[in-house]
Amino acid sequence: MSWFTDLYQSAVGKKAVMAVTGIILFGFVLGHMIGNLKLYEPGTYCAYLDASGTCASKPLPYLDAYGAFLRQVGAPALPASGALWIVRVVLLVAVILHMWAAWQVTRLSQAARPSGYVNQPKRHTSYASRTMRWGGIIILLFVIYHLLDFTTGTLNPGFQEGAVRRNMLASFSVWYVALFYIVAQVALGFHLYHGLWSLFQSLGWNSPRFNRWRSTFAHAFAWIITIGNISFPLAVWTGLVR
Amino acid sequence: MNLTLHVWRQKSPADEGRMVRYEVTGVTEHASFLEMLDILNEQLIQKGEEPVAFEHDCREGICGSCGFMINGEAHGPLPHTTVCQLHMRHFKDGDVLHLEPWRSKAFPVVKDLVVDRGAFDRIIQSGGFVSVATGSAPEANLIPVPKALSDRAFDAAACIACGACVAQCPNSAAQLFTSAKVSHLNLLPQGQPERYDRALSMVEAMEKEGFGACSNYAECEAVCPKGISIDFIAKMNRDYLKAKSTAVPKPPLEA
Ligand code: HEM
Ligand code: FES
């Protein structure tokens, strides 16, 4: 552990930690978005067909079946929801490290300019890069709401454990909830756009051969994730999915 | 041309400092920005007032002494240009210009527009030279250096340590300067023996001076009078992270 604490002492090390935890969170957000595309799969899924080919279990909407799969994956090698909990712990550690480092480098930078400019400096860089800190806070608030909405069900109008599709429709039918989700996804999109480019710099992954692909990569995935995620509340809200 | 200037006046490091308004008259468009300040200072001296202090030496854009903020931009509006090479033809009669010193905890204001950039010297000292006696200069062609590498090393070595990168950076970070200094030695074959130690000690020296943390805004690259690329920041990060995780600490040198 000492190499880690030693590395973390430095601001360059803190940014490397932010980059690595950012990659983990990015992987999650991408997988999460792709998983939710099951909302659009028509019909129902049957877990057990009997010998004659008729469904012997309760047919589930694809999204619910996917949710059940996430709880079962790894069984019987792992206990029930085992893999799910491993992922949750990794994500929680990543989020805490990411925010802790963000907080520390922000404080460091504020301390580095105790008396500011009278005439505010011109800014040459992207909106995305300038909003990393506030964007991060919006994402954090969103994640808390999101967990209370779909994981615990506390804030969901009509929550049923395991009825993923139904819960989603219930939540997004309320126009201001749908709007809040959309705003938060735009914030995430900006955060990802700068973050996905920035991590290459922070980890020193640059070479003349692929440098120009770094911002293409950041643009592409920021758009893919944002469009995907925004489509869910929009589809419910506009009645395309019911 | 006639101009209105709002200039930061600060008598000493302990003085609070304030912006003071001046009207400067009869400036030719062929004057450099520093020559325009010379004209202002002449006019101030005529009136029995204290001239504005600013740093300068070569006035050729190569020494790195000059530099301050002009309307919120380090070295003013023209890309790849120090204030000593910035000419008044890039401004208009009647312009209102705000001049401020670099602002960073690591660059304390000495007087008016002059700041103490000693922090940069200490970063260079921490790793900018080789620590063994090398005797007389070797034969230049003894160590072949690939053209592409020597070009990149030269691009890094173009840094004149003026401090514009720190001044413009919202984090007041010194990554562009330090990475240029690390890279111009770390790219060359001659710099390899001390490559990882250099990355470690220069980054540590940089952080000890109280500069902020890099957020990869690239503001520095936009204002750098020498057009130093933020690619060097990535390179420095790579050398530093590699040094931290794999390099064996070197034994102390014999006295
Ligand atoms: C889904 C969640 C998130 C993802 C995928 C994510 C991803 C990233 C990535 C990849 C970076 C770039 C790291 C680098 O420059 O090396 C980054 C930077 C940053 N993140 Fe996040 N992040 C997430 C959530 C958050 C949250 C909740 C905060 C909280 C406050 C936050 C605050 C920041 C800040 C401030 C930076 C910029 C660091 C700097 O300017 O030095 N992020 N993020
Ligand atoms: S005075 Fe030497 S660079 Fe401007």
Side-chain angles (χ1 to χ4, degrees):
Chain A
M1 216 44 195
S2 91
W3 73 268
F4 179 81
T5 42
D6 181 39
L7 176 68
Y8 194 82
Q9 293 286 312
S10 71
V12 173
K14 289 184 178 73
K15 283 304 302 274
V17 168
M18 289 189 69
V20 171
T21 52
I23 293 171
I24 294 173
L25 295 172
F26 161 65
F28 165 75
V29 178
L30 183 64
H32 186 285
M33 187 280 285
I34 294 173
N36 279 343
L37 290 176
K38 288 268 175 254
L39 174 66
Y40 300 126
E41 194 157 342
T44 52
Y45 173 80
C46 181
Y48 304 106
L49 298 175
D50 65 16
S52 66
T54 46
C55 189
S57 65
K58 192 174 155 224
L60 290 174
Y62 273 94
L63 195 57
D64 298 19
Y66 175 65
F69 160 77
L70 291 183
R71 266 173 281 271
Q72 285 155 12
V73 68
L78 293 174
S81 297
L84 187 65
W85 273 104
I86 292 173
V87 172
R88 282 176 175 171
V89 169
V90 170
L91 288 175
L92 188 68
V93 171
V95 147
I96 290 172
L97 281 176
H98 190 82
M99 290 190 308
W100 180 235
W103 168 255
Q104 287 184 316
V105 296
T106 303
R107 293 306 303 263
L108 200 81
S109 297
Q110 284 167 347
R113 184 167 290 141
S115 45
Y117 286 104
V118 180
N119 200 48
Q120 279 316 304
K122 283 224 172 67
R123 289 295 164 232
H124 306 82
T125 48
S126 66
Y127 177 78
S129 69
R130 278 177 278 136
T131 50
M132 287 307 271
R133 289 163 191 168
W134 281 108
I137 289 169
I138 294 176
I139 297 166
L140 176 66
L141 294 178
F142 163 76
V143 168
I144 294 172
Y145 182 90
H146 186 56
L147 292 176
L148 292 174
D149 189 4
F150 292 132
T151 306
T152 67
T154 324
L155 295 177
N156 191 296
F159 184 75
Q160 257 178 34
E161 181 89 45
V164 185
R165 190 172 200 276
R166 183 183 181 283
N167 295 341
M168 204 171 190
L169 294 185
S171 185
F172 292 162
S173 308
V174 185
W175 69 269
Y176 52 86
V177 174
L179 188 67
F180 173 58
Y181 268 80
I182 292 171
V183 170
Q185 294 317 307
V186 172
L188 176 63
F190 279 114
H191 195 90
L192 280 173
Y193 169 62
H194 181 70
L196 290 179
W197 172 81
S198 170
L199 69 90
F200 288 95
Q201 285 289 113
S202 299
L203 294 176
W205 292 345
N206 73 328
S207 103
R209 201 178 280 266
F210 75 89
N211 269 1
R212 66 198 177 92
W213 291 104
R214 301 187 305 179
S215 85
T216 312
F217 166 83
H219 259 114
F221 280 96
W223 276 108
I224 290 171
I225 289 175
T226 310
I227 291 176
N229 278 343
I230 285 182
S231 78
F232 308 125
L234 268 188
V236 174
W237 194 17
T238 55
L240 280 173
V241 167
R242 51 181 108 225
Chain B
M1 60 209 278
N2 301 330
L3 302 163
T4 303
L5 302 182
H6 294 265
V7 185
W8 183 258
R9 300 306 307 266
Q10 181 173 341
K11 286 196 183 67
S12 66
D15 182 23
E16 245 193 20
R18 70 218 63 82
M19 297 297 274
V20 177
R21 182 192 159 109
Y22 298 104
E23 305 291 337
V24 53
T25 53
V27 178
T28 139
E29 60 169 24
H30 303 301
S32 73
F33 206 93
L34 297 188
E35 284 161 350
M36 183 277 289
L37 287 183
D38 292 336
I39 297 170
L40 168 71
N41 280 344
E42 297 261 343
Q43 295 173 357
L44 290 179
I45 292 166
Q46 300 264 310
K47 285 191 277 182
E49 289 178 38
E50 175 84 7
V52 175
F54 59 90
E55 214 182 332
H56 62 104
D57 188 7
C58 68
R59 297 207 179 193
E60 290 184 325
I62 55 172
C63 75
S65 301
C66 67
F68 42 78
M69 305 295 282
I70 305 174
N71 287 353
E73 281 191 290
H75 290 295
L78 209 64
H80 301 171
T81 311
T82 53
V83 281
C84 61
Q85 287 291 298
L86 175 64
H87 288 85
M88 296 313 293
R89 55 180 166 271
H90 299 292
F91 297 89
K92 297 188 311 290
D93 183 46
D95 271 356
V96 181
L97 305 176
H98 299 258
L99 313 188
E100 270 188 87
W102 300 157
R103 296 212 186 267
S104 168
K105 187 173 132 198
F107 288 166
V109 175
V110 177
K111 187 176 180 183
D112 299 342
L113 301 176
V114 180
V115 299
D116 176 358
R117 287 172 295 127
F120 272 10
D121 299 333
R122 290 186 289 276
I123 294 173
I124 292 183
Q125 280 164 17
S126 76
F129 48 82
V130 289
S131 53
V132 289
T134 53
S136 56
E139 151 63 30
N141 293 323
L142 213 55
I143 303 173
V145 183
K147 172 87 166 71
L149 267 191
S150 74
D151 284 352
R152 277 198 79 205
F154 260 119
D155 289 346
C159 169
I160 55 175
C162 63
C165 45
V166 173
Q168 198 75 25
C169 176
N171 297 321
S172 196
Q175 242 78 3
L176 192 64
F177 161 78
T178 310
S179 69
K181 296 301 170 195
V182 171
S183 300
H184 91 256
L185 295 170
N186 277 9
L187 279 164
L188 293 172
Q190 292 90 335
Q192 295 313 304
E194 307 206 309
R195 175 171 175 179
Y196 294 106
D197 290 322
R198 181 178 299 113
L200 280 181
S201 47
M202 291 184 84
V203 168
E204 269 151 28
M206 168 183 84
E207 295 192 352
K208 215 168 72 199
E209 293 293 341
F211 292 105
C214 175
S215 291
N216 302 316
Y217 289 124
E219 286 285 350
C220 49
E221 187 183 71
V223 299
C224 175
K226 296 296 148 183
I228 309 276
S229 161
I230 57 169
D231 272 2
F232 293 120
I233 298 180
K235 185 176 160 36
M236 175 179 77
N237 289 342
R238 184 163 70 231
D239 282 0
Y240 179 80
L241 294 173
K242 184 155 183 208
K244 270 284 183 212
S245 39
T246 65
V248 181
K250 71 170 174 192
L253 286 175
E254 303 287 335

